[in-house]
Amino acid sequence: MHNLPRIRPSIYLFLSIFLFSCPIFAQKIQVQRVEPTNWWVGMKEPRLQLILHGKDLGGSNVEISHPGVRLEQVHTVENPNYLFVDLTVGPDARPGTFNLVLTKEVAVRRGRRTTQQRVSTSFPYELKARTNELKAQGVDQSDLIYLLLPDRFANGDPSNDRFADMADTKADRNDPFLRHGGDLQGVINHMDYFKEMGVTALWLNPIIENNQPLTNEGGVQRSAYHGYGFTDHYQVDKRLGGNTAYKKLVEVAHASGIKIVQDAVYNHVGINHWFIKDLPMKDWLHQWPTYTNTSYKDQPLVDPYASAIDRKVTSDGWFVPFLPDLNQNNPFVANYLLQHAIWTVEKFGIDAWRVDTYMYNDLEFMNRCNAALLEEYPRLHIFGENWVNSVVNQAYFQRNNLQVPFKSNLPGCTDFQLQFAINDALNQNIGWNEGVQRLYQVLGQDYVYEDPSKNVIFLDNHDMDRFLSVVGEDMQKYRMGMSWLLTSRGIPQIYYGTEILMKNFKNPSDAEVRKDFPGGFPGDKENKFLTSGRTNAENEAFNFVKKLATYRKNTPALHSGKLMQYLPQDGVYVYFRYDDTKTVMVVMNSNEKEVSLSTARFSERIKSATKAKNVVTDETIPVVETMKLAARTAYVLELIP
Ligand code: CA
C-alpha cells in the first residue's frame, strides 16, 4: 500500500474552482421495462403500442431501424417516467431484435449559464417468428372443463412455495388464508387423472404474478393465493413455476389432448402492480374523491331507467380497496390490456379465455378486446363471468337477440341461471314454478341468446358452496345433478374435488370450498387421485362422473345435437339430445317416491325405439308404454332404434 499524497491547501482552492465551473450533469434517462415484452411478425393486426417505463423518458425522441417496422408516433404523458411508442409491424417485417434508441435534450447548468445537452439510451426489442404450435383451439360442447385453484390442487415443486423477495413470504397449509404451495408442476403431474376422468380442458384460476402483501380482510390476514390481483402481467407467478412452467403445462396438456382455459382479469389489478406504484397518468385508474366500492349490482347497466351515477358506481367503483379499478376508456390502458391478451395466446398457446367480473368492465372496451382476439384467433372461445339474477340480464352481456342500445359481442358466459335452476330442481318441492320446473323454464328462455351452446354450465365453482353440501350430501341428488351437467346444452365444467365428494359451505369463509386436493401435497396421508386412496363412496362418485364424461366425449349427439325438452309433469322432467344418428333420452324423477312414466307423449323423439341402453349401468332396458322410475333418480338412456 503506497502512501496517499498529502493534499495541500492550494489544491483545495483549485478543486473548488474546478467543481464550480464544471457542468452539473443532467440525470441520465433510463428504460427499465418495455411491454409487451416481445412481439411477433405476421400478426393480422400490424399496430403495436409499446409502453416504456424508466426514468425521465418524457419528451424523448425515439428511433428504430428494422426492415418492415415503422415508427408511427411517440406519446409523452403526465408521468415523465413513461413513454408510449406506436409502431407498425408490416407484413414484410422480419423476425429479429432491434434497438429502441431514445435521445433527449436536457438542460445543463454550466456556471451561471444553462445549455442544452443530448443524452441517450437504448433498449433491445425482439420480434419473434410465429410458431405452428397448437393454440387457440377453443372449447365447445364436446369438452368437459375441470376448474382448479393452482395453489390448492397439488404441490409439484416444494422449492417454489415461498420466496423471501416477495411481498408475502408465507406459505402454510395449516392456515386457510395463506398460500399452500400448489403449483403448475402439480397440475402437470396429474394429467393422467384428468384423462382418466374424461376431462378435455383445464381452467385454472389466475396464474399471473400476484406479488401482493397480506391484506387485512375482516380482521384476518389473507394472501392473494386466489390470483385475482395481478402485479406483473407478463410474469406467471414464480410460486406457481413462472412462465417456464406455464409453457410446459400447455405443451403437456396439448400432448394429452387437454386444452387450457386462462382466467383473464381486465377490470382491476393488485395494489402492488408495478404501474400502480408509479401511475403513468391520473386517469389510468377510475379515480374517486373518496374511496368508492362498486355496488356489485348489474341492474343499473341494463335498466332503461337507471341513473348515470348508479351506472358509474357499478362499473367504475372498485371491487375491493386493494384491487384498483382500471380505466379502460383510457386508450393507453385499453391497448395495454388488449395486447397482453393477444400476447398470452401467442406466447403460451392457450385455447380459451374465461373473463372475470365481466360486467364491471367498460363494455365497449370488452367488445373491442373480444373482437381483436377473435380476429387473430377465430377458433378461440371467450366466456365471461356474468353473475346476475335473470336470464335476460345474463344475455345482455353476451351475443343476444335483444334489441338494446348496447350490443355485446361476447360469445358465451358462465351460466349462473342454470346453476341456480339445477339447485332448485334438486332442492325445492315441486310446484308451478319450483323444482324441476325451474330447469325447464330457464332453458326455455334460451331464445334470448345468439348461441346458448357456447355457455358454460356448472354445479359449483370456487366462489360458491360446494355442490355436495348444497344437495344435503344426498348421493341420489348428486347423481341427478351430474347426469344433468353432462347431458344438457352448453359446455360442462366440474370444480376440482366435486368428483371425489369434496364438500363444504362458504362458512365462515370461501377458504372452506378451496381446500387442498387430498394427495396433491407432500406428506398427505390420503391420495384421492388413486382408486386405492378413495373410499367406496368416493370411487362410486368418481366412476359415475368418469362413465358419463367418457360417454359424452364419444357421443356427437351431446356435442352438436339438438335439444328437445318436455313440460315437466308430476315432478318428472324429460329431455332429449339427438342428431341424425343417435338419440339420448334423459329422464329425471325428482319425486321422493317411485313413479310411473307414460312414454306415449314422447313418441316424437322415441319414434319406433323399443329398447335403450342405460348409459351408466350399460344395461339394455325395454322402452315400454309405462316405465317405472326410482325415487330421486335420473336416467341417461341411449335409444336403440
Ligand atoms: Ca410449490
Side-chain angles (χ1 to χ4, degrees), residues 460-523:
D460 52 6
N461 69 23
H462 58 291
D463 289 323
M464 311 184 106
D465 296 331
R466 280 193 174 268
F467 175 65
L468 185 63
S469 296
V470 171
V471 294
E473 300 182 32
D474 179 328
M475 285 308 296
Q476 298 278 106
K477 290 183 176 180
Y478 174 91
R479 282 191 286 270
M480 288 168 82
M482 274 297 170
S483 300
W484 168 81
L485 179 73
L486 293 164
T487 58
S488 191
R489 74 97 172 106
I491 308 163
Q493 169 247 296
I494 289 181
Y495 181 45
Y496 82 97
T498 295
E499 76 281 12
I500 53 150
L501 304 180
M502 282 172 72
K503 60 187 182 188
N504 268 346
F505 295 99
K506 292 197 300 178
N507 182 12
S509 80
D510 48 21
E512 297 303 309
V513 301
R514 301 170 178 178
K515 296 218 166 190
D516 299 347
F517 192 104
F521 293 75

Side-chain angles (χ1 to χ4, degrees), residues 6-7 14 21 106 134 190 194 264 322 391 474 531 549 586 597:
R6 285 183 60 226
I7 298 173
F14 171 75
S21 60
V106 292
L134 219 47
H190 295 100
F194 306 130
F322 50 87
V391 171
D474 179 328
T531 308
V586 182
L597 177 71

Side-chain angles (χ1 to χ4, degrees), residues 539-612:
N539 271 321
E540 271 177 41
F542 179 85
N543 290 334
F544 188 85
V545 173
K546 174 182 166 181
K547 185 82 185 175
L548 277 174
T550 306
Y551 179 73
R552 181 187 178 89
K553 197 172 171 179
N554 299 320
T555 306
L558 296 173
H559 311 163
S560 51
K562 292 178 177 168
L563 169 68
M564 183 177 287
Q565 61 171 352
Y566 284 77
L567 193 60
Q569 286 185 353
D570 304 322
V572 179
Y573 173 48
V574 177
Y575 61 92
F576 294 82
R577 296 294 304 275
Y578 61 101
D579 59 16
D580 290 343
T581 59
K582 211 164 261 187
T583 298
V584 179
M585 177 182 187
V586 182
V587 181
M588 193 185 282
N589 174 21
S590 67
N591 293 285
E592 296 288 335
K593 59 178 194 305
E594 182 185 279
V595 297
S596 295
L597 177 71
S598 171
T599 58
R601 194 158 69 100
F602 314 115
S603 62
E604 187 180 350
R605 291 268 63 85
I606 293 179
K607 297 185 175 165
S608 58
T610 55
K611 287 181 293 183

Side-chain angles (χ1 to χ4, degrees), residues 155-161 181-183 239:
N155 188 354
D157 181 3
S159 76
N160 65 15
D161 292 359
D183 50 41
R239 290 164 292 203

